[in-house]
Amino acid sequence: MRTDGRQPAGAPPPPAAPPERGLDDATLVVRAREGDVHAFSELAERHQAALFRLALRMVGNSDDAEDALQDSLLDMWRRLDRFRGDSAFTTWAYRIVTNRCLDLLRRRRTTVPVEEVEERLASPTSTEHTAEVDAGLVALRAALLTLPDEQRACFVLRELEGLGYTAIAEIAGTSETAVRGRIHRARTTLAGVMRSWR
């Protein structure tokens, strides 16, 4: 085996990385608009973990989150010609996923039954501390699901995804003032629900 970084004579060349890997999002978007499926696949692969995490936090379960993500990716492919590039591709993608999740939540319109939350809270775990932490997380997830959809979207984008108010306003299709108000109301509600877990 050579240590100078050169291939031995007659050895096949190392597999080349797909050319899309080194390109920025804006270039990939241009190529994808021109029909380059590989460019769009790279965009999807590059951002799918963050988009899935957003969907999961919005809808509360992995099956619905996976469905929302797949539908969102199809929407992105179909609507790519409408992406003007005024914002980052990620902001546009977050908006599509957020809207898809809000549609799903509106159709579902169910809340977590109190009995289910109590059952989760009472489930045995290995240690008392772990049980307390797990129960607190379950209570927080359940409390998130009780927030109005628009508040939950803004709260998740700000507190769990770390986005700024301007980006959230663009994703939510509203003003920064409205975003701040929704996040404030969500925090107030969650603080009341979680008071017993302090």
Side-chain angles (χ1 to χ4, degrees), residues 15-16 23 25-26 45 49 54-55 60 62 77 81 107 109 112 116-117 120 134 152 164 173 181 188 196-197:
L23 300 177
D25 285 359
E45 186 177 322
L54 169 64
S62 57
W77 175 248
D81 60 329
R107 285 194 309 270
R109 280 288 179 233
V112 177
E116 185 178 330
V117 174
R120 289 181 191 173
D134 288 347
R152 183 184 330 162
T188 301
S196 62
W197 293 98

Side-chain angles (χ1 to χ4, degrees), residues 7-194:
Q7 289 283 24
E20 295 84 9
R21 294 280 166 155
L23 300 177
D24 62 11
D25 285 359
T27 305
L28 290 172
V29 167
V30 170
R31 288 190 175 190
R33 277 180 163 165
E34 294 169 351
D36 186 341
V37 176
H38 297 292
F40 184 77
S41 293
E42 174 61 21
L43 280 168
E45 186 177 322
R46 187 176 288 179
H47 299 292
Q48 72 180 1
L51 295 173
F52 176 76
R53 187 178 62 233
L54 169 64
L56 182 60
R57 289 170 168 169
M58 287 285 299
V59 299
N61 72 69
S62 57
D63 290 338
D64 286 346
E66 186 64 40
D67 289 345
L69 176 60
Q70 293 307 316
D71 289 344
S72 297
L73 290 172
L74 284 172
D75 287 347
M76 286 176 216
W77 175 248
R78 291 182 190 131
R79 299 178 189 173
L80 205 52
D81 60 329
R82 296 185 214 164
F83 175 60
R84 296 184 310 273
D86 298 338
S87 61
F89 173 79
T90 51
T91 302
W92 183 71
Y94 267 63
R95 182 174 193 169
I96 289 175
V97 171
T98 298
N99 287 337
R100 218 7 126 159
C101 291
L102 288 172
D103 289 344
L104 180 82
L105 291 168
R106 287 182 191 111
R107 285 194 309 270
R108 192 167 68 184
R109 280 288 179 233
T110 58
T111 57
V112 177
V114 173
E115 298 80 20
E116 185 178 330
V117 174
E118 289 172 351
E119 182 180 312
R120 289 181 191 173
L121 295 178
S123 62
T125 54
S126 57
T127 67
E128 189 176 313
H129 176 69
T130 303
E132 189 175 319
V133 169
D134 288 347
L137 289 174
V138 168
L140 178 58
R141 281 190 215 110
L144 266 174
L145 292 174
T146 65
L147 292 174
D149 300 337
E150 289 76 13
Q151 284 182 29
R152 183 184 330 162
C154 291
F155 181 85
V156 166
L157 289 167
R158 176 67 181 166
E159 301 298 338
L160 304 178
E161 295 299 319
L163 271 63
Y165 293 110
T166 304
I168 298 169
E170 188 171 337
I171 290 166
T174 189
S175 69
E176 285 187 47
T177 303
V179 166
R180 289 176 189 277
R182 290 174 186 176
I183 292 170
H184 174 73
R185 288 190 294 279
R187 285 176 180 154
T188 301
T189 300
L190 292 174
V193 170
M194 299 305 293

